[in-house]
Structure formats: structure tokens, C-alpha cells
Amino acid sequence: MWMWRELSRGLRGLLNRSSADRDIADEVEHYLDEAAASFEARGLSPEEARLAARRELGSVTAVRDQVRTYGWENIVETTFADVRYAGRRLRRYPVQALVAALTLALGIGASTAIFSAVNPVLFQPLPYPDAGRLMLIWDGQGGSRFDVTFGTYRELMARNRSFESMTVARPMQPTLTGVAEPERLDGQYVSADFFRVLGVRPALGRDFQPSDDVPGTPFVVLISDGLWRRRFSADPRIVGRQIALNEIPVIVIGILPRGFENVLSPAAEIWSPLKYDPALPLNGREWGHHLRLVGRVRADVDADRARHELDEIARATLPEFARPQWAALRDGFIANSLQDELTRTVRPALFAIVGAVILLLTIACVNVTNLLLAQGAERRTELAVRTALGRPVLGSSDNCSLRRCCSHR
Amino acid sequence: METTNTDVIQGTLDMLILKTVSLEPMHGFGITRRVEQVSRGVFKVNPGSLLTALNRLERAGWLDAEWRQTANSRRAKYYSLTRTGRKQLEEETSNWARRASAVARILKAEA
């Protein structure tokens, strides 16, 4: 009830300011009349009575202003008046306005530009489903980060309980042959699970199967959308056809989706199974430290527990998983979220840049504030004169709040 | 007019207005004069404060306002007490009585 009255009265006052003003003016005028009449009744002449009444009332404008300051609508109105006033000032001093706008534009522009560059690296998750569960696992020999061996990968796959799946990858640079113009490609040898661990499915054709990742089976490859468009004119019939890499025939079994980003090797365009020997001969590449190991932690396990389990596995050797001395895992593993590991080296620099940009923006704001302060100091006389005159010239409720704060000094 | 008149005691203007208007509908200057007369010139109402207070009390729903035509064809705003205004007046009156007697007791105790 009370709220409603406040609201409706306020709105009426706002929408029909002139009538609200007239009401106030009429009431003040009537008050003056009555006061004059009462003086007259005491024997003063009409002019004297009028003067006495005025003296008693003080400034009619002041009384009107005082009455008008009541109510929430007055705050709204004052704000609008201030905005209008600001607009007028900006128009009247275009150079200062331009300088302020430019300063702010530079500050805001630079911050936005840097932030948009840094945002995907620092703050956005990797472009995979549930990317937070992906961890990069290193052999932590001597506290450094070493690529893992295939033997270690096999042991972890067999023994861990914390990861849904794990995959390994290493770079390859095959040459596309058997075409008019051979091309050196960037690619990766991967274990069969690679794309399933990342959560990506081929747009065309099929993914690698465990049976593809066995020595002696036919060579198959997956290619990126970019390579497919560039070298095979986006022909869907390429799936199932043979191409030649390093003059060896391989079969294209699928094409990855267009938006697929491979953060482990951004330039890679072609993938082939590792085909390492599960018998793990000690003198083979199966025990070389050259594989990136990525695991997808189970949804109900947190990173710390996964890390803990990895270290337990590293400590406890089992006879069926004999390790050569150079891959004995004596120092355990270093495992962190894939995103943290990828940005680890650049992160401090990027934060420094973000900090610098925030400072830049602050400096811009300070500069504009200084500009305004200087202007304000210049205008004190003007404001004083205007207040003394009862704020003529510019509109009726001109810069109320500004005036108020100046007169309170 | 007396020279010793003072402004109305802080915080009592609302109560004085409500009380004055409770007798009959009245316009702003009427309220001023009534307060001055009844207080025998001790209290002097500041017109600015009075008109603002009337505005506020009307907003709060304690006063009803009505525009009437005066003899010299001016518009005058007459205020009358609403039912909630009457309740408010009772509340403020009893409040004031309690506080005033408390002050009086303290002053007596000192003397």
C-alpha cells in the first residue's frame, strides 16, 4: 500500500514534472498570500505585509527546492539532470572530451585485446569434453619431466584404477608420396585410444581400433580436416582408399572433425597407430623415453588421488612388470592437468602481461580523473556564481548533485 | 510577535502537524499559525520544513490532500488526517509523553 503510493506518486511526479512543480509553486504562493494577509490583519499596509511575509518565508525558490528534493523521483531526476549536464559539458569542450575518450579508448582497447589473447590460454578450458579430467603424466626422474616409455605406459594401463583410459603419442613427419607434389607432413604416432581419451570422434570413417595397433597389421591413418581439404579436395571417397607415406602404402580410415584442435601437437595433420611390440624387448624402442602420456581421470576420482596412486605404482615393482634400470621410476611421476602442463612455461609471463594491462587501464582512468579535476577546479567560480544567482540559464534542475557537493565544501 | 520563539523541537514537527490537522482540514499556513498560536509563540515553523513534511506525510498515507479554490481564485492545498495517520498520531503522542516525562523526571532528580 505504502510502496504503491510511493511508486505512483513518484512516477506521476516524474512523468508530469511541470504539473508537480506547479502544485508546489501554488502551495508556496498560497502560503505567502496567507502570511501576507495575516500581517495585513495586524495593521500593515498591503505592500509592507507582502514584504514581511516574504522576509519570513525566505527565498521562494529555496523553499520550492527544499520541497522538491523529497522523494525517490528526485534522485532519478537529479541523475538525469547530471547526465544531461555531462553531455552538454562534453559538447562544449570537445577537445577535452576527445582526449578523455581517446585515453579511455586506448586503455580499454589494449586491455581487451590482451585479455582476448590470453583468455583462451589461461582461463578457457581445453576444447575437449570434460577437459579438466585430462592429465599429462611424466616420468619424474631427478625431479625433471621426462617422456615415458612404452613399457611404463603398459604397466600403468594394467595396474592403475584411477584412470578411465590412457594414451601415448609421439611425433612423426612422414612424406606424402605417390602424388604429383610430395609434401612433408606433421603427424603423430598414437596408441589406438588416443582420440577416445581426448573425447573426439572422426567426422567421417572410423576411429583406430586396438587391432590396428598391432605389429604386422596393415598401416592405417586418420587425417585432419585441413589435410583432407588441401590434398584430397574434400573427397569423402578417400576413406578406405590407399595413399602412400614415405612410399609405403597406408589406408585412410577416417577424417577428423573440422574444429578438432590437437593441443599436444597443434601442427599434426595425420595420425597412425604406434604398433609397438607388446612383448617389450629390452633392446627395442619400447623402452625409449619418447612418449607423451595423457590419461583421463575417472569422474569419481580427483587429481590428488590419481597422483597418489601413480606414485604407489612407481614404488611397488611387480615381477610381471620388470623395468629396465633406466625406466625404474625411482622418482615417481609428475602428473598435472593437461591444461596446466601445456601453459606451465608461459603462465607467469601471461599473468605479468595481464597485470601490466590492468595497470595501463588504471593509468588511463587516473589521467581522465586528473583532467576532470583540473576542469572542476577551473569551474569553481562559475559554479559559485551560478549558485548565488539561483542557477539560471541552463535548464530548471541543472546539475543539482554537482551544485550540492560544491556548496558543501 | 515574540522574540524568544524557536524552531520546532527536532523530530516533533510530524507529530505537531498530525495533531493540528486532526481537528479540521487545514492548509500549510493555517498549520503554521495554529502551531504558533497554540504554543503561544514558542514554536515557529519553518515554511520549507513544513511544506516538505506535508509532502512526506501525504506520501506516507497519513495525510490526505485536496486542492480547493480560495476566495481570491487561488488554488490552496488542504490537508486532513487519514485513519492510518490517526493511528500514527496516537503512537507518536504516547511515545512523546513517555519521553517527555522521562526527561522531566531526570531534571527533577538533579534539582
Side-chain angles (χ1 to χ4, degrees):
Chain A
M1 168 69 189
W2 174 80
M3 280 278 282
W4 170 242
R5 193 198 308 267
E6 272 290 322
L7 197 67
S8 64
R9 281 299 173 87
L11 277 182
R12 205 180 311 158
L14 265 188
L15 295 178
N16 203 346
R17 192 29 119 180
S18 60
S19 121
D21 273 350
R22 200 173 49 242
D23 279 357
I24 295 173
D26 278 357
E27 196 171 10
V28 172
E29 203 56 45
H30 176 251
Y31 190 100
L32 203 60
D33 282 352
E34 291 288 332
S38 104
F39 277 117
E40 229 174 301
R42 270 184 248 163
L44 292 178
S45 75
E47 290 78 28
E48 283 170 334
R50 190 92 195 148
L51 270 177
R54 268 199 183 284
R55 249 198 314 276
E56 203 183 50
L57 189 73
S59 154
V60 176
T61 327
V63 173
R64 258 198 318 239
D65 275 358
Q66 196 180 344
V67 176
R68 202 158 43 184
T69 52
Y70 177 73
W72 62 268
E73 74 268 21
N74 178 64
I75 295 168
V76 174
E77 208 180 47
T78 314
T79 312
F80 275 127
D82 285 350
V83 171
R84 273 201 306 274
Y85 176 73
R88 267 201 306 274
R89 296 270 315 158
L90 288 178
R91 267 206 309 281
R92 259 217 344 242
Y93 300 91
V95 178
Q96 276 100 321
L98 200 69
V99 170
L102 272 181
T103 315
L104 287 179
L106 275 178
I108 295 170
S111 331
T112 323
I114 296 289
F115 181 78
S116 356
V118 158
N119 180 37
V121 181
L122 285 185
F123 306 114
Q124 293 292 311
L126 296 176
Y128 309 118
D130 265 330
R133 281 159 55 201
L134 293 174
M135 288 181 91
L136 195 59
I137 302 162
W138 306 88
D139 185 336
Q141 278 183 40
S144 315
R145 289 169 162 80
F146 283 89
D147 282 334
V148 300
T149 67
F150 188 67
T152 306
Y153 162 65
R154 297 273 304 184
E155 182 180 347
L156 283 182
M157 281 284 278
R159 295 180 64 186
N160 93 81
R161 297 276 166 275
S162 306
F163 290 85
E164 239 169 50
S165 51
M166 286 182 169
T167 186
V168 282
R170 75 176 174 94
M172 65 170 178
Q173 287 195 312
T175 306
L176 181 65
T177 53
V179 285
E181 198 183 325
E183 182 183 347
R184 183 81 176 271
L185 300 175
D186 268 310
Q188 284 178 298
Y189 287 114
V190 297
S191 61
D193 259 353
F194 184 74
F195 293 105
R196 282 183 289 276
V197 169
L198 294 185
V200 178
R201 244 182 273 161
L204 268 180
R206 65 173 181 88
D207 201 349
F208 294 131
Q209 298 302 321
S211 56
D212 296 322
D213 195 7
V214 174
T217 52
F219 287 101
V220 294
V221 292
L222 280 166
I223 60 174
S224 74
D225 183 84
L227 180 61
W228 180 49
R229 285 171 200 281
R230 196 172 75 242
R231 296 308 304 252
F232 305 106
S233 15
D235 181 0
R237 285 169 306 176
I238 190 72
V239 175
R241 284 236 297 264
Q242 222 173 48
I243 61 172
L245 290 181
N246 303 336
E247 316 225 308
I248 297 168
V250 299
I251 299 167
V252 178
I253 60 166
I255 293 140
L256 286 158
R258 188 167 204 168
F260 171 59
E261 273 182 72
N262 184 6
V263 296
L264 286 167
S265 171
E269 295 186 301
I270 189 160
W271 293 268
S272 180
L274 276 171
K275 290 186 191 294
Y276 278 6
D277 185 353
L280 306 177
L282 271 181
N283 57 354
R285 55 192 174 177
E286 283 75 6
W287 286 107
H289 286 277
H290 59 243
L291 296 176
R292 273 304 133 81
L293 174 54
V294 177
R296 182 175 276 275
V297 184
R298 274 177 24 200
D300 55 341
V301 172
D302 63 29
D304 279 334
R305 239 186 76 196
R307 246 177 243 130
H308 186 69
E309 199 203 4
L310 287 175
D311 282 337
E312 273 180 357
I313 293 174
R315 262 199 304 277
T317 14
L318 292 182
E320 61 265 45
F321 296 108
R323 300 170 187 161
Q325 210 202 328
W326 63 86
L329 305 174
R330 266 184 294 274
D331 299 321
F333 294 96
I334 293 174
N336 286 305
S337 85
L338 181 56
Q339 179 154 24
D340 287 354
E341 281 293 320
L342 290 175
T343 57
R344 185 172 53 93
T345 47
V346 291
R347 185 174 287 258
L350 290 185
F351 273 122
I353 290 175
V354 170
V357 151
I358 290 174
L359 275 182
L360 185 73
L361 186 60
T362 316
I363 291 172
C365 292
V366 169
N367 282 341
V368 172
T369 313
N370 274 339
L371 199 70
L372 292 179
L373 274 178
Q375 272 191 23
E378 234 168 66
R379 296 198 60 226
R380 278 188 76 167
T381 330
E382 180 199 335
L383 282 171
V385 169
R386 218 184 249 190
T387 311
L389 294 178
R391 62 153 147 79
V393 197
L394 299 169
S396 63
S397 52
D398 188 37
N399 83 74
C400 282
S401 59
L402 195 64
R403 230 155 35 92
R404 223 169 284 142
C405 69
C406 283
S407 54
H408 281 190
R409 286 236 187 95
Chain B
M1 206 178 263
E2 302 206 11
T3 46
T4 56
N5 57 21
T6 61
D7 277 345
V8 170
I9 296 170
Q10 190 96 46
T12 60
L13 180 60
D14 287 6
M15 182 174 65
L16 297 186
I17 292 173
L18 291 177
K19 174 66 190 171
T20 310
V21 171
S22 74
L23 310 173
E24 57 174 324
M26 229 176 250
H27 54 68
F29 184 74
I31 297 171
T32 305
R33 197 163 45 186
R34 178 67 64 85
V35 169
E36 284 175 13
Q37 278 173 355
V38 174
S39 70
R40 298 204 191 116
V42 172
F43 291 144
K44 195 171 140 32
V45 180
N46 173 299
S49 320
L50 174 79
L51 295 180
T52 315
L54 288 174
N55 202 340
R56 186 179 64 238
L57 296 175
E58 188 194 343
R59 278 285 192 94
W62 296 336
L63 293 183
D64 256 343
E66 190 194 356
W67 285 99
R68 290 187 197 164
Q69 209 69 26
T70 61
N72 50 4
S73 74
R74 271 265 167 75
R75 296 195 318 146
K77 206 174 181 184
Y78 278 78
Y79 295 91
S80 56
L81 203 62
T82 65
R83 196 172 325 160
T84 48
R86 195 166 294 281
K87 247 196 314 216
Q88 178 67 19
L89 173 61
E90 280 164 18
E91 210 169 283
E92 289 199 19
T93 310
S94 68
N95 235 333
W96 172 256
R98 219 184 55 216
R99 281 156 59 197
S101 67
V103 171
R105 272 199 302 278
I106 293 170
L107 293 180
K108 243 180 235 143
E110 260 187 349

